[in-house]
Amino acid sequence: MKPFARLLLAGLALVALALVGWQLRIIEVQGRPVIAWAWQDAQVSFTNSVTRRPVLIKFDLRRDFSDFQMMTDFDTEGYYTGGEYRINDRLKGQQERTLQYCSVVGMQLRIGEQQWNIKQSCLTAKLLWPPGSGG
């Protein structure tokens, strides 16, 4: 193979690797590394222990953990906000590198097709790759 062809092939391989690396997410869930992709859906769901109503928090993996959206009933939203503001207005611009949620009734984390059930404990998920500076 000629030097130019090798250089071109190496350059294309680096570009492909960079594109894959840019979309790759490595997340530590409960102390174990998990591989995910930037375009996968992610969510945490649980039952609020006070109102006994379901709470669903969706988020993106495109830039850190971001674009959070909480879905619950009006009374449970009021429990979290004191009725002072709309919770999704506050969550909209939030970006985090670590998620920590605790529940005495348990919760589920789903990233793509992977799911974790956490019983009467706390969930910790840390974004390890790509490196970043968010939240």
Side-chain angles (χ1 to χ4, degrees):
M1 184 180 285
K2 294 185 178 191
F4 178 75
R6 268 189 256 149
L7 183 62
L8 181 61
L9 187 59
L12 289 174
L14 283 174
V15 167
L17 185 60
L19 288 174
V20 168
W22 184 60
Q23 294 296 308
L24 181 71
R25 300 294 181 263
I26 300 176
I27 304 165
E28 182 181 279
V29 177
Q30 301 300 88
R32 295 188 172 186
V34 174
I35 295 176
W37 298 102
W39 60 81
Q40 287 185 295
D41 294 328
Q43 65 183 38
V44 172
S45 59
F46 57 93
T47 299
N48 179 287
S49 61
V50 174
T51 66
R52 302 280 187 223
R53 301 282 174 77
V55 177
L56 176 67
I57 302 171
K58 293 185 174 187
F59 56 94
D60 284 345
L61 303 174
R62 289 178 283 181
R63 296 179 323 155
D64 295 339
F65 299 124
S66 61
D67 296 322
F68 292 88
Q69 181 181 16
M70 179 186 279
M71 288 162 270
T72 191
D73 66 287
F74 182 77
D75 291 336
T76 303
E77 181 174 339
Y79 169 79
Y80 291 114
T81 65
E84 297 293 318
Y85 57 89
R86 301 287 303 166
I87 197 154
N88 285 318
D89 292 342
R90 292 270 175 102
L91 293 175
K92 190 184 307 181
Q94 190 172 343
Q95 286 185 222
E96 302 291 337
R97 302 252 336 142
T98 300
L99 299 179
Q100 292 183 305
Y101 297 109
C102 295
S103 174
V104 296
V105 295
M107 71 191 84
Q108 296 78 40
L109 168 66
R110 186 176 61 76
I111 299 173
E113 298 300 316
Q114 302 175 81
Q115 182 168 308
W116 297 265
N117 294 309
I118 294 91
K119 302 289 183 198
Q120 296 180 334
S121 183
C122 294
L123 158 72
T124 301
K126 296 178 185 177
L127 186 59
L128 303 176
W129 179 264
S133 59

